[in-house]
Short mmCIF file of all heavy atoms in Angstrom, two decimals:
data_model
loop_
_atom_site.label_atom_id
_atom_site.label_comp_id
_atom_site.label_asym_id
_atom_site.label_seq_id
_atom_site.Cartn_x
_atom_site.Cartn_y
_atom_site.Cartn_z
N HIS A 369 -5.79 -47.97 -7.71
CA HIS A 369 -6.71 -49.03 -7.29
C HIS A 369 -6.33 -50.36 -7.91
O HIS A 369 -6.33 -51.41 -7.24
CB HIS A 369 -8.15 -48.66 -7.68
CG HIS A 369 -9.16 -49.71 -7.32
ND1 HIS A 369 -9.57 -49.96 -6.03
CD2 HIS A 369 -9.81 -50.63 -8.11
CE1 HIS A 369 -10.43 -50.96 -6.02
NE2 HIS A 369 -10.60 -51.38 -7.26
N GLU A 370 -5.97 -50.33 -9.19
CA GLU A 370 -5.57 -51.57 -9.85
C GLU A 370 -4.29 -52.13 -9.23
O GLU A 370 -4.19 -53.33 -8.94
CB GLU A 370 -5.35 -51.34 -11.34
CG GLU A 370 -4.88 -52.59 -12.07
CD GLU A 370 -4.39 -52.31 -13.48
OE1 GLU A 370 -4.68 -51.22 -14.02
OE2 GLU A 370 -3.71 -53.19 -14.05
N LEU A 371 -3.31 -51.26 -9.03
CA LEU A 371 -2.02 -51.73 -8.54
C LEU A 371 -2.10 -52.20 -7.09
O LEU A 371 -1.32 -53.05 -6.67
CB LEU A 371 -0.97 -50.63 -8.68
CG LEU A 371 -0.64 -50.21 -10.11
CD1 LEU A 371 0.49 -49.19 -10.13
CD2 LEU A 371 -0.28 -51.41 -10.98
N ARG A 372 -3.03 -51.65 -6.34
CA ARG A 372 -3.19 -52.07 -4.95
C ARG A 372 -3.56 -53.55 -4.88
O ARG A 372 -3.25 -54.22 -3.90
CB ARG A 372 -4.25 -51.20 -4.28
CG ARG A 372 -4.31 -51.38 -2.76
CD ARG A 372 -5.26 -50.37 -2.12
NE ARG A 372 -4.64 -49.05 -2.01
CZ ARG A 372 -5.02 -47.98 -2.69
NH1 ARG A 372 -6.02 -48.06 -3.57
NH2 ARG A 372 -4.42 -46.81 -2.52
N ASN A 373 -4.22 -54.05 -5.92
CA ASN A 373 -4.69 -55.43 -5.92
C ASN A 373 -3.97 -56.31 -6.93
O ASN A 373 -4.39 -57.44 -7.20
CB ASN A 373 -6.19 -55.45 -6.23
CG ASN A 373 -7.00 -54.67 -5.22
OD1 ASN A 373 -7.05 -55.04 -4.06
ND2 ASN A 373 -7.62 -53.57 -5.65
N THR A 374 -2.87 -55.79 -7.50
CA THR A 374 -2.14 -56.55 -8.52
C THR A 374 -0.68 -56.68 -8.11
O THR A 374 0.04 -55.67 -8.07
CB THR A 374 -2.22 -55.84 -9.88
OG1 THR A 374 -3.59 -55.61 -10.23
CG2 THR A 374 -1.55 -56.68 -10.97
N PRO A 375 -0.20 -57.87 -7.77
CA PRO A 375 1.21 -58.01 -7.39
C PRO A 375 2.13 -57.60 -8.54
O PRO A 375 1.89 -57.94 -9.70
CB PRO A 375 1.34 -59.52 -7.10
CG PRO A 375 -0.06 -59.98 -6.82
CD PRO A 375 -0.94 -59.13 -7.70
N HIS A 376 3.18 -56.86 -8.21
CA HIS A 376 4.17 -56.47 -9.22
C HIS A 376 5.50 -56.24 -8.55
O HIS A 376 5.60 -56.03 -7.33
CB HIS A 376 3.71 -55.23 -10.01
CG HIS A 376 3.32 -54.06 -9.16
ND1 HIS A 376 2.11 -54.00 -8.47
CD2 HIS A 376 3.95 -52.89 -8.88
CE1 HIS A 376 2.03 -52.87 -7.81
NE2 HIS A 376 3.13 -52.17 -8.04
N ASP A 377 6.55 -56.27 -9.35
CA ASP A 377 7.92 -56.22 -8.84
C ASP A 377 8.58 -54.86 -9.00
O ASP A 377 9.60 -54.59 -8.34
CB ASP A 377 8.77 -57.27 -9.56
CG ASP A 377 8.18 -58.67 -9.43
OD1 ASP A 377 7.97 -59.10 -8.29
OD2 ASP A 377 7.94 -59.32 -10.46
N LEU A 378 8.04 -54.02 -9.86
CA LEU A 378 8.66 -52.72 -10.15
C LEU A 378 7.59 -51.76 -10.65
O LEU A 378 6.72 -52.15 -11.42
CB LEU A 378 9.74 -52.88 -11.23
CG LEU A 378 10.33 -51.61 -11.84
CD1 LEU A 378 11.10 -50.80 -10.81
CD2 LEU A 378 11.24 -51.96 -13.03
N LEU A 379 7.68 -50.51 -10.18
CA LEU A 379 6.83 -49.45 -10.70
C LEU A 379 7.67 -48.56 -11.60
O LEU A 379 8.64 -47.94 -11.14
CB LEU A 379 6.23 -48.62 -9.56
CG LEU A 379 5.47 -47.35 -10.00
CD1 LEU A 379 4.26 -47.71 -10.85
CD2 LEU A 379 5.05 -46.53 -8.77
N VAL A 380 7.32 -48.50 -12.89
CA VAL A 380 7.99 -47.61 -13.84
C VAL A 380 7.06 -46.43 -14.10
O VAL A 380 5.97 -46.59 -14.66
CB VAL A 380 8.31 -48.33 -15.16
CG1 VAL A 380 8.94 -47.34 -16.15
CG2 VAL A 380 9.24 -49.51 -14.92
N LEU A 381 7.48 -45.26 -13.65
CA LEU A 381 6.74 -44.03 -13.93
C LEU A 381 7.36 -43.40 -15.16
O LEU A 381 8.41 -42.74 -15.08
CB LEU A 381 6.80 -43.09 -12.73
CG LEU A 381 6.09 -43.61 -11.46
CD1 LEU A 381 6.36 -42.69 -10.28
CD2 LEU A 381 4.59 -43.75 -11.70
N LEU A 382 6.75 -43.64 -16.30
CA LEU A 382 7.25 -43.13 -17.57
C LEU A 382 6.70 -41.73 -17.78
O LEU A 382 5.50 -41.53 -17.98
CB LEU A 382 6.81 -44.05 -18.71
CG LEU A 382 7.16 -43.58 -20.13
CD1 LEU A 382 8.67 -43.51 -20.32
CD2 LEU A 382 6.52 -44.49 -21.16
N GLN A 383 7.59 -40.76 -17.70
CA GLN A 383 7.18 -39.37 -17.92
C GLN A 383 7.14 -39.17 -19.44
O GLN A 383 8.09 -38.70 -20.05
CB GLN A 383 8.18 -38.43 -17.27
CG GLN A 383 7.61 -37.06 -16.94
CD GLN A 383 6.96 -37.01 -15.56
OE1 GLN A 383 7.46 -37.55 -14.60
NE2 GLN A 383 5.81 -36.35 -15.47
N ALA A 384 6.02 -39.56 -20.02
CA ALA A 384 5.90 -39.47 -21.48
C ALA A 384 5.94 -38.02 -21.94
O ALA A 384 6.33 -37.73 -23.06
CB ALA A 384 4.62 -40.15 -21.94
N SER A 385 5.50 -37.13 -21.06
CA SER A 385 5.73 -35.70 -21.24
C SER A 385 5.81 -35.08 -19.85
O SER A 385 5.63 -35.77 -18.84
CB SER A 385 4.61 -35.03 -22.06
OG SER A 385 3.49 -34.73 -21.24
N PHE A 386 6.04 -33.79 -19.80
CA PHE A 386 6.06 -33.09 -18.52
C PHE A 386 4.70 -33.23 -17.82
O PHE A 386 3.64 -33.27 -18.47
CB PHE A 386 6.36 -31.61 -18.73
CG PHE A 386 6.29 -30.81 -17.46
CD1 PHE A 386 7.40 -30.73 -16.62
CD2 PHE A 386 5.12 -30.15 -17.09
CE1 PHE A 386 7.33 -30.01 -15.44
CE2 PHE A 386 5.04 -29.44 -15.90
CZ PHE A 386 6.15 -29.36 -15.07
N ALA A 387 4.74 -33.32 -16.51
CA ALA A 387 3.56 -33.20 -15.65
C ALA A 387 4.07 -32.84 -14.27
O ALA A 387 5.24 -33.09 -13.95
CB ALA A 387 2.77 -34.50 -15.62
N ASP A 388 3.22 -32.25 -13.46
CA ASP A 388 3.67 -31.96 -12.09
C ASP A 388 3.82 -33.27 -11.32
O ASP A 388 3.46 -34.34 -11.81
CB ASP A 388 2.73 -30.97 -11.39
CG ASP A 388 1.36 -31.55 -11.13
OD1 ASP A 388 1.27 -32.59 -10.44
OD2 ASP A 388 0.36 -30.99 -11.62
N SER A 389 4.32 -33.16 -10.09
CA SER A 389 4.71 -34.37 -9.36
C SER A 389 3.57 -35.06 -8.64
O SER A 389 3.77 -36.14 -8.06
CB SER A 389 5.80 -34.02 -8.33
OG SER A 389 5.28 -33.12 -7.36
#
Side-chain angles (χ1 to χ4, degrees):
H369 178 73
E370 178 192 344
L371 296 184
R372 191 173 282 112
N373 300 296
T374 305
H376 53 284
D377 304 305
L378 169 65
L379 172 63
V380 177
L381 294 173
L382 175 64
Q383 204 88 42
S385 82
F386 176 85
D388 67 58
S389 64

